[in-house]
Amino acid sequence: MTRPFRFIAPAPRLGTDPAAWRAEVRRIEDLGFTTMSIGDHLSSGWVLEPLTAMTVAAEATTSLRVLSLALANDYRHPVLLHKALATLDVFSGGRVEVGIGAGWMAADYTAAGIPMDRPGVRIDRLEEALAVLTGLFGPEPLTFAGEHYRVQDLTGLPRPVQAPRPPLLVGGGGRRMLELAARTADVVGVHCTLRSGVQDSEAVADLTAERVAEKVGWVREAAAAAGRDPELQFSVYHSRVGRDAPAPSSSFAALMAAAGDTLADSPAVLVGDVDECVDRLQEVRERYGFSYLNLGADLDGLAPLVARLAGT
């Protein structure tokens, strides 16, 4: 099934004027983006706490959805996280989307003094957290006994506006994470592998067209086995729409630009005029199934794409 395009805009940077931040969030809504997303990091210059920023953004707008992309499971107990998300879903009128992953940025763990377990343990813990979250959004009191979490006869309150719960997005780059997402999430985010805990040349090499197609294959196979058909989300890390568009400023985008022909056909690269980029995104959806897209932070450059494709 071909799903209509939905577009994510990353949260604006917070300057010295919170009112200006709110105004920029309203501009995201006015430009036709479906969703504003915010990441979850503790170091490397990251400023905003995601749940608080999602709340402020929801209060500043009327239809814009708010998405954590993505919460690091190790930073929050799932019982407390459920309570915060359910409360925000009520106050926002049902505009919350829950993106969550196992955690990956080594600098965050070091800065906060949080032990960074090996990937398998973090994924085990995430799998249990997903069971707790899903259970608390369910109709009956939850009792859960796992290796990492224990919950006893707990009723999940408040009841969210969205039924049975806010949409759940789980993303990852390795096979086990993507198969877990395919079995449990409403939306699967397909990303590069970040085994080293940083966005490096290994992560760039994991975004070739062939590797992304392989990852989508893992998702489709696992979803079919579970009788599911999740929406697929993807982030374009190197995006320049129009001849006058600024070059992406992130260090990871610079690594991608340096990769040259290696990423020429990658869906993580979007370069060209509006017509060329419209055609390219339609090709990407046809080949990979990606319909929920984060194209970067250049709102003015991306607005014509959103106007042409959102909802189609």
Side-chain angles (χ1 to χ4, degrees), residues 73 77-79 81-83 85-86 98 100 125-144 149 151 154-160 162-170 180-181 183-186 228:
N73 179 60
H77 193 286
V79 168
L81 180 58
H82 162 268
K83 180 73 76 175
L85 293 167
V98 184
I100 189 167
R125 188 158 44 238
L126 174 63
E127 187 165 8
E128 288 191 12
L130 293 172
V132 172
L133 282 172
T134 302
L136 288 172
F137 279 120
E140 303 296 333
L142 175 68
T143 295
F144 178 88
Y149 304 109
V151 179
L154 181 61
T155 299
L157 295 173
R159 297 300 186 194
Q162 299 178 90
R165 53 168 168 71
L168 179 64
L169 186 158
V170 178
L180 171 62
R183 295 192 305 270
T184 59
D186 305 292
R228 308 184 72 252

Side-chain angles (χ1 to χ4, degrees), residues 178-226:
L178 290 170
E179 290 178 342
L180 171 62
R183 295 192 305 270
T184 59
D186 305 292
V187 184
V188 176
V190 179
H191 301 293
C192 52
T193 300
L194 295 164
R195 283 185 292 263
S196 64
V198 297
Q199 290 179 317
D200 55 12
S201 57
E202 180 185 25
V204 170
D206 203 45
L207 287 170
T208 63
E210 294 75 19
R211 281 290 290 161
V212 174
E214 182 179 30
K215 293 168 189 281
V216 170
W218 297 338
V219 173
R220 287 178 171 159
E221 182 179 348

Side-chain angles (χ1 to χ4, degrees), residues 37-53:
S37 71
I38 184 161
D40 188 17
H41 295 294
L42 308 173
S43 63
S44 305
W46 284 80
V47 175
L48 297 173
E49 194 283 319
L51 297 176
T52 307

Side-chain angles (χ1 to χ4, degrees), residues 205-277:
D206 203 45
L207 287 170
T208 63
E210 294 75 19
R211 281 290 290 161
V212 174
E214 182 179 30
K215 293 168 189 281
V216 170
W218 297 338
V219 173
R220 287 178 171 159
E221 182 179 348
R228 308 184 72 252
D229 182 27
E231 186 176 17
L232 299 185
Q233 184 271 329
F234 191 74
S235 295
V236 174
Y237 293 100
H238 182 70
S239 174
R240 296 188 71 179
V241 182
R243 293 183 177 84
D244 298 327
S249 58
S250 74
S251 58
F252 190 54
L255 282 174
M256 294 185 66
D261 291 344
T262 303
L263 297 181
D265 295 327
S266 171
V269 175
L270 184 69
V271 177
D273 62 28
V274 171
D275 287 338
E276 290 169 333
C277 290

